[in-house]
Amino acid sequence: MSPEIQTGNLTFPEVSDETTLLEVDDLHTTFSTSRGPLHAVNGVSLTLDRGETIGIVGESGSGKTVLTRSIMGLVPREGVTRTGSVNFMGQEILNAPDKSLRQLWGSQIAMVFQDPMTSLNPVMRIGKQIAEPLRLHTDMDGKEARANALSLLTQVGIPSPEERLRAYPGELSGGMRQRVMIAIALACAPRLLLADEPTTGLDVTVQAQILDLLATLQKDRTMAMILVTHDLGVVATRTDKIIVMYAGNVVEQAPTATLFSAMAMPYTEALLGSTPRIANPSHTRLNAIEGRPPDLVNVPPGCPFSPRCKYAQDICHQVRPPLVPAAEPNHLFACWFPLGGRSGPHPPAVTVGVASERPDRPDPVPGPAS
């Protein structure tokens, strides 16, 4: 019989490399507002295996952060409704009691937040903040926890770790604070790490260092990871599969290599087109996606991206396309007229007279420049 780990009222068996670690099915997260219900996450489903990395990409407001917080249970109890299923290692945790979730956080699932300055306690020394989850979730005494905190600072590449143990967050640079956040998240060797825009506000060199660090630590610990970002270039070489979100919906989902070789959704193309390229001359004007995301309290009919899509036709403004399989395995997209000449879902009969093919349909978009 496999050994089991008791966490509050939840029991988690040991998992093998073949075990599905996380299954999210038809997850909805809705906020009650004075203007009406705001559908921040709208029917998202995903699976994640041990050691696997999923990239979740989209603009600000697309639902990426709310999705990860909904998975972890870090959304308010009042004024928020979550439906669907979040199954972690065979246990349903969507509506688990707060006591069980508090035992789960840090020990089994951890998160690296996008702004370490607001996540770290400004009046508590770094060493104590790293030792805190070790004291809470293990039998370590203060001396053992401090020794492990020192080891963690060394692992995440903090220079002069002994000195930094006694430092306060305000005495560290942005990159060092983010490394401290990673050390705290990994202190108890969680099975799943949620990294929510972990390189926001950092310069390009430090961004690469942080992402390389996460990849190394993940491989060493056979840890699964969900990497949230707005930048397709970040996830191009660091993920196994990618989920593209827009207005709370999944609009495309595919293995990473498939997404870049045969992307189907115009929004995915627009995201890639807005990524700066090293090969471009200096002072090249950045491409931006025209328009703005829809109001999630009052989403217009049809495809949510249609008001901003240069390929949209009448049907796109009238009926929302379903998420359907593409020709490539494990590739899903939601578009009436996908990129690359592939056939989309059959438009409803009410759209008589709408062209069956989009004019000026581009060829498949190449991946980002290396």
Side-chain angles (χ1 to χ4, degrees), residues 69 111-124 126 129 158 168-185 195-202 206 210:
R69 288 175 177 262
M111 180 176 282
V112 177
F113 298 94
Q114 59 181 293
D115 185 1
M117 196 60 200
T118 58
S119 302
L120 295 171
N121 188 329
V123 296
M124 184 184 292
I126 295 301
Q129 295 193 55
I158 294 283
Y168 291 97
E171 299 176 291
L172 305 180
S173 68
M176 290 176 68
R177 285 195 292 265
Q178 195 60 284
R179 290 172 186 267
V180 170
M181 280 293 301
I182 294 171
I184 294 172
D196 183 10
E197 300 269 14
T199 59
T200 297
L202 305 178
V206 178
I210 294 297

Side-chain angles (χ1 to χ4, degrees), residues 154-166:
T154 302
Q155 290 177 48
V156 298
I158 294 283
S160 306
E162 279 275 9
E163 180 182 342
R164 303 303 178 189
L165 280 177
R166 295 190 53 77

Side-chain angles (χ1 to χ4, degrees), residues 43-345:
V44 174
S45 298
L46 62 89
T47 60
L48 183 64
D49 296 331
R50 185 184 181 197
E52 190 176 37
T53 300
I54 289 180
I56 300 179
V57 298
E59 295 171 283
S60 296
S62 61
K64 309 183 303 296
T65 294
V66 177
L67 172 61
T68 56
R69 288 175 177 262
S70 297
I71 290 172
M72 197 167 178
L74 289 175
V75 292
R77 293 285 188 180
E78 299 295 328
V80 181
T81 302
R82 288 185 301 157
T83 61
S85 173
V86 178
N87 189 294
F88 180 69
M89 294 172 55
Q91 293 287 321
E92 179 59 51
I93 64 171
L94 183 65
N95 295 306
D98 288 344
K99 180 179 179 181
S100 296
L101 288 175
R102 282 193 293 269
Q103 293 299 317
L104 183 70
W105 298 332
S107 64
Q108 302 294 324
I109 305 176
M111 180 176 282
V112 177
F113 298 94
Q114 59 181 293
D115 185 1
M117 196 60 200
T118 58
S119 302
L120 295 171
N121 188 329
V123 296
M124 184 184 292
R125 297 185 192 275
I126 295 301
K128 187 173 182 180
Q129 295 193 55
I130 299 175
E132 190 172 45
L134 293 167
R135 298 293 303 276
L136 178 65
H137 295 295
T138 72
D139 296 327
M140 291 184 187
D141 58 25
K143 185 177 181 179
E144 290 176 309
R146 186 182 186 282
N148 274 269
L150 180 62
S151 174
L152 284 162
L153 284 183
T154 302
Q155 290 177 48
V156 298
I158 294 283
S160 306
E162 279 275 9
E163 180 182 342
R164 303 303 178 189
L165 280 177
R166 295 190 53 77
Y168 291 97
E171 299 176 291
L172 305 180
S173 68
M176 290 176 68
R177 285 195 292 265
Q178 195 60 284
R179 290 172 186 267
V180 170
M181 280 293 301
I182 294 171
I184 294 172
L186 299 183
C188 296
R191 300 167 189 253
L192 172 61
L193 180 68
L194 308 176
D196 183 10
E197 300 269 14
T199 59
T200 297
L202 305 178
D203 64 57
V204 176
T205 303
V206 178
Q207 284 184 27
Q209 292 173 353
I210 294 297
L211 291 170
D212 288 344
L213 171 64
L214 284 171
T216 299
L217 293 171
Q218 179 192 15
K219 183 178 180 180
D220 291 345
R221 296 162 178 253
T222 320
M223 178 177 63
M225 183 164 68
I226 295 178
L227 177 60
V228 175
T229 180
H230 61 275
D231 187 351
L232 271 171
V234 167
V235 297
T237 59
R238 302 177 186 275
T239 59
D240 299 296
K241 52 190 177 185
I242 296 174
I243 292 174
V244 182
M245 292 190 67
Y246 187 77
N249 297 274
V250 174
V251 295
E252 187 159 12
Q253 179 174 338
T256 301
T258 299
L259 188 85
F260 285 103
S261 64
M263 64 177 57
M265 181 68 190
Y267 177 61
T268 310
E269 178 194 48
L271 280 178
L272 182 60
S274 64
T275 303
R277 304 274 183 139
I278 295 176
N280 289 343
S282 180
H283 304 296
T284 297
R285 186 178 181 86
L286 296 177
N287 294 321
I289 305 175
E290 295 185 2
R292 56 191 302 176
D295 180 357
L296 295 183
V297 175
N298 187 26
V299 179
C303 172
F305 186 60
S306 61
R308 308 170 71 188
C309 180
K310 60 184 178 181
Y311 308 120
Q313 299 184 42
D314 289 345
I315 179 64
C316 304
H317 301 291
Q318 298 169 9
V319 182
R320 177 170 296 189
L323 192 66
V324 297
E328 299 80 9
N330 303 313
H331 186 184
L332 304 173
F333 66 91
C335 183
W336 291 122
F337 307 105
L339 304 172
R342 291 175 295 280
S343 298

